[in-house]
Amino acid sequence: MHVSGGSDTFEFRSPHGMKAAHSRLRTFAGIAVRHLQHFNHPGRAWHDLSGPQDTLTVVLAETGGRCEARTNLHRPAALERQRPNHISFVPAEMRVWGYTNNMESVRELRLSFDRKSLEDSLGPDLDPGKAGNPELMFHDKRAVECARLLAAECDASCPSTGLYGEGLTISLLSACFQGRPPQKNSGLSVSQLRLVLDFIHEHLDLSVSVFQLARLVDLSSSQFARMFKASTGVSPHRYQLNTRISKAQELLLMKGESLSMVAVATGFADQSHFTRTFKRVTGATPHEWYQNHTP
């Protein structure tokens, strides 16, 4: 069964009893992130969760019962795993069934990726054992919270910057595939931090990725995000957002600068996106802020 959503076309493998579905796709750090909802006919329904790449699926909502991930269609999951918001990791081309019985719909976030993307994101934080073996219907509160925010980002008509989605994706993957907790560190060195901050300031009008910033200082994405926050007190996304708003305020005080020009110069999708974000951060619209800061 094929499902389309915007520019995304997604195929459920070996479906049975499924009625309809819709999907929204975003891509962060080379990882496909889909917000999926599928609807079933009465009775038993199932499909193959696997794909050509590794698959991580986080169940966000179940209507009418509980869904399960099964290696055998006729063998129910252990009772202790049959709780809401379970997570399953299915290696590429390994048949695992998403199974329901008399259930109306399932809403989930599904990530597709290869080992290289996972290694680029987590680096030495990656637990090879977790990344190489299936695990069905496990639970992690932090991963579910990240998945909920990513689902909202997939649906957003005006998405946030790429740094926001990438940060959430890396946090979700860290919750599921990280080995022992990383040792505390003092953050980036002075030279590393200056290199990264200069790059962010010089590219405010562009979409900058966590992976790009991490490569500047030869770190994995998860290492970089952790050390950047230790150095600055905020995430890369929040730092970029604060810097864009500060630059916008500077441009607003210059006579003759239109809101549309300011939006483009500071990396926002359009004037409407800029205005909404500016008010969320400062508590005032650009026009109100300008009036309060000029004679």
Side-chain angles (χ1 to χ4, degrees), residues 25-290:
L25 170 69
R26 294 289 307 279
T27 300
F28 300 111
I31 294 171
V33 179
R34 284 184 175 86
H35 185 198
L36 285 168
Q37 186 167 16
H38 38 98
F39 304 87
N40 303 320
H41 294 289
R44 299 199 307 159
W46 61 78
H47 68 281
D48 183 356
L49 287 171
S50 74
Q53 295 183 301
D54 291 349
T55 297
L56 182 75
T57 179
V58 184
V59 175
L60 300 176
E62 302 158 286
T63 304
R66 288 272 180 271
C67 64
E68 296 182 18
R70 297 182 175 185
T71 54
N72 185 322
L73 274 174
H74 306 291
R75 186 178 301 155
L79 286 176
E80 66 270 16
R81 292 184 178 260
Q82 295 181 27
R83 293 186 282 133
N85 306 130
H86 59 75
I87 305 165
S88 293
F89 171 59
V90 182
E93 304 298 353
M94 176 181 175
R95 175 159 283 184
V96 172
W97 300 103
Y99 175 89
T100 66
N101 193 353
N102 286 321
M103 190 169 175
E104 183 179 329
S105 70
V106 179
R107 186 167 63 84
E108 63 180 276
L109 191 79
R110 192 174 296 195
L111 281 66
S112 302
F113 49 87
D114 55 29
R115 176 60 73 90
K116 185 178 186 307
S117 296
L118 200 57
E119 290 173 346
D120 287 341
S121 294
L122 302 185
D125 294 341
L126 177 65
D127 183 330
K130 290 182 179 179
N133 298 300
E135 186 174 3
L136 306 185
M137 299 180 68
F138 64 96
H139 299 82
D140 187 284
K141 184 176 180 180
R142 179 164 67 102
V144 172
E145 290 305 310
C146 290
R148 291 192 191 283
L149 293 171
L150 275 169
E153 190 67 6
C154 288
D155 292 346
S157 56
C158 286
S160 303
T161 66
L163 286 177
Y164 176 68
E166 285 191 16
L168 288 173
T169 302
I170 292 166
S171 293
L172 195 164
L173 294 173
S174 295
C176 297
F177 298 106
Q178 182 176 283
R180 60 181 180 273
Q183 296 181 346
K184 291 185 178 180
N185 57 70
S186 57
L188 300 169
S189 69
V190 173
S191 61
Q192 286 177 320
L193 184 61
R194 175 49 51 201
L195 181 63
V196 170
L197 297 187
D198 285 348
F199 188 89
I200 291 174
H201 283 263
E202 291 168 6
H203 298 85
L204 281 184
D205 59 332
L206 300 177
S207 177
V208 176
S209 70
V210 175
F211 180 69
Q212 280 179 287
L213 298 177
R215 286 291 297 272
L216 289 175
V217 290
D218 198 27
L219 295 170
S220 72
S221 296
S222 64
Q223 284 178 303
F224 168 75
R226 186 171 63 248
M227 295 173 72
F228 184 93
K229 188 168 185 178
S231 295
T232 65
V234 295
S235 67
H237 159 69
R238 189 68 202 191
Y239 184 89
Q240 183 194 56
L241 180 60
N242 291 344
T243 305
R244 284 177 165 176
I245 295 298
S246 295
K247 181 63 175 179
Q249 291 171 333
E250 176 186 324
L251 293 174
L252 287 171
L253 294 175
M254 298 170 60
K255 292 183 178 180
E257 301 293 5
S258 67
L259 287 184
S260 58
M261 190 287 296
V262 173
V264 170
T266 50
F268 291 94
D270 51 38
Q271 182 177 324
S272 176
H273 183 210
F274 165 62
T275 299
R276 287 197 305 274
T277 306
F278 189 97
K279 184 173 183 178
R280 176 167 56 83
V281 173
T282 68
T285 66
H287 179 69
E288 291 167 342
W289 185 90
Y290 176 79

